[in-house]
Amino acid sequence: MTETVQARDRDSAPLDVSAIRADFPILAEKMYGKDLVFLDSAASAQKPRQVIDAISTAYETAYANVHRGAYRLSGLATDAFEAARKKAQRFLNAASEKEIIFTRNTTEGINLVAASYGRKFLKEGDEVLITHMEHHSNIVPWQLLREQTGIVLRVAPIDDDGNLIMAAFADLVTERTKMIAVTHVSNALGTVVPVDEICQMARERSIVTLIDGSQAVPHIPVDVRDIGCDFYVFTGHKVYGPSGIGVLYGRAELLDAMPPYQGGGEMIRTVTFEKSTFADLPHKFEAGTPNIVGAIGLGAALDYVSAIGPERIAANEAQLLAYGMDRLARVPGLRLIGTAQRKLSVMSFIVEGVHAHDVGTVLDSEGIAIRSGHHCAQPVMDRFGLTATARASLGVYSSIEDIDALVAGLAKVREIFG
């Protein structure tokens, strides 16, 4: 059997969620004596044994600083660190590992682009276009840049279901638009933004694009060359890797033209008191000792997702989301927030007469972990006239039983609050 046929057979096979759940030790834990039902993967996903073991092995057998030591152990650590970069390159289908910059998280990736690319190439009056459903991490860096350079921040609207209004988006693209920065998937609504269409529109006008992919890469296949974006960012802890590590993909041509984001060790070629010169990509943007083991753990997480198959994960979660949205819609007094035509992984809702925090507290007492609050997306809450929602979000280990437990827990909420 050829490798292609094996991959095709794997991609068409249903997901064995029970076997996957066995990979995640924390899912065997009890909360208040009850089975843990974890429905907060949009905030941070749980870690499989494969990632935990990779981290432990790195610390136990191959830990040293990278790119510095002339001894074997440092060489082993460097090899493992750079192997993780290649895994990220393959995961995103980037053209070169030089286009993969390790960051702390999505937030740092966007700040890097805003500070480095933005300060050099954007000037007063240039426009940056975002959407109304952005996470704070894709709003605040541009506001800071606005204060520093005088750029104009434009915001494309969404409709009452949470769809991006593409006609209005296109109308906001003008000859002054120099950067389009949008989420791939909304963390508060689950809306999938048509980034392919947006990037094509941008390319035709020579507009640079940045895609925030943190809520996409754990759930659907992502190919940055198919999308045609200039920058793509994601964070490790939402794709079953450790926290404190993320990835900025950037086209080499742009990264080469950008000045360093931070100065320090590793990112230099030469230093004198008169002048410094800088390292080639990707190290130009990785000042100081990096999160060595975090990168290795991220590499293990990307291996894990790749082995299961992003297509299979997407298909399974689509079925689970449809089931969950249908079950939640039948709960008396519950209103779903975010019912876009194309969405994934997130079910946000409010319960009439009950604050979202109270919903979360009652569910917690039943061993059910969801997120309640504004989800670091206050403009989205404002759009719907809310201060907070309850949000159940899916991961590769989520099951029908998790959804049923959530619905049963919501009956408990109604029982307590009437």
Side-chain angles (χ1 to χ4, degrees), residues 118-391:
R119 287 180 193 166
K120 179 167 182 178
F121 293 106
L122 302 185
K123 62 183 185 301
E124 184 175 0
D126 286 346
E127 296 178 356
V128 174
L129 178 57
I130 62 174
T131 78
H132 206 120
M133 70 181 97
E134 301 304 324
H135 187 270
H136 295 167
S137 295
N138 197 31
I139 300 173
V140 179
W142 305 114
Q143 292 175 330
L144 294 173
L145 183 66
R146 179 175 61 190
E147 293 171 5
Q148 296 159 354
T149 66
I151 64 160
V152 176
L153 188 58
R154 307 295 296 274
V155 182
I158 59 176
D159 66 20
D160 292 341
D161 293 326
N163 296 296
L164 179 63
I165 304 174
M166 279 304 294
F169 186 94
D171 286 344
L172 287 169
V173 177
T174 72
E175 61 182 14
R176 307 194 75 170
T177 307
K178 302 302 180 186
M179 169 72 76
I180 294 176
V182 298
T183 187
H184 196 163
V185 178
S186 163
N187 75 314
L189 305 174
T191 303
V192 180
V193 173
V195 293
D196 304 69
E197 181 181 350
I198 287 172
C199 289
Q200 181 177 347
M201 184 189 308
R203 284 196 305 276
E204 291 169 354
R205 295 163 175 80
S206 299
I207 299 169
V208 173
T209 50
L210 180 147
I211 310 298
D212 171 358
S214 270
Q215 298 294 342
V217 294
H219 307 290
I220 54 176
V222 171
D223 184 323
V224 292
R225 285 190 276 181
D226 273 356
I227 293 171
C229 56
D230 294 300
F231 299 104
Y232 195 98
V233 293
F234 74 88
T235 196
H237 68 97
K238 293 181 182 180
V239 67
Y240 313 109
S243 59
I245 185 74
V247 165
L248 161 66
Y249 157 80
R251 284 201 299 114
E253 177 185 355
L254 294 179
L255 292 173
D256 270 330
M258 291 160 52
Y261 171 55
Q262 295 178 324
E266 184 60 23
M267 50 74 71
I268 55 88
R269 186 185 304 279
T270 62
V271 175
T272 68
F273 285 116
E274 288 72 35
K275 181 182 179 182
S276 298
T277 59
F278 305 117
D280 293 332
L281 295 176
H283 306 295
K284 181 173 75 172
F285 293 104
E286 295 180 354
T289 297
N291 185 350
I292 301 164
V293 177
I296 294 168
L298 173 60
L302 300 182
D303 280 346
Y304 185 78
V305 171
S306 298
I308 295 172
E311 295 84 1
R312 294 173 70 207
I313 293 172
N316 183 70
E317 290 188 3
Q319 293 179 359
L320 197 56
L321 179 68
Y323 178 80
M325 293 289 282
D326 179 68
R327 290 296 311 274
L328 289 177
R330 301 181 189 197
V331 174
L334 185 146
R335 179 160 68 96
L336 290 162
I337 307 297
T339 52
Q341 294 172 351
R342 189 175 175 217
K343 65 174 285 171
L344 56 80
S345 78
V346 167
M347 296 171 282
S348 285
F349 56 89
I350 58 172
V351 178
E352 183 180 354
V354 186
H355 194 281
H357 288 168
D358 292 328
V359 173
T361 299
V362 173
L363 291 176
D364 175 55
S365 71
E366 298 295 306
I368 304 165
I370 67 161
R371 176 79 177 267
S372 54
H374 55 61
H375 316 299
C376 298
Q378 287 180 310
V380 180
M381 298 297 110
D382 293 342
R383 169 62 180 77
F384 290 93
L386 303 168
T387 57
T389 68
R391 182 189 70 185

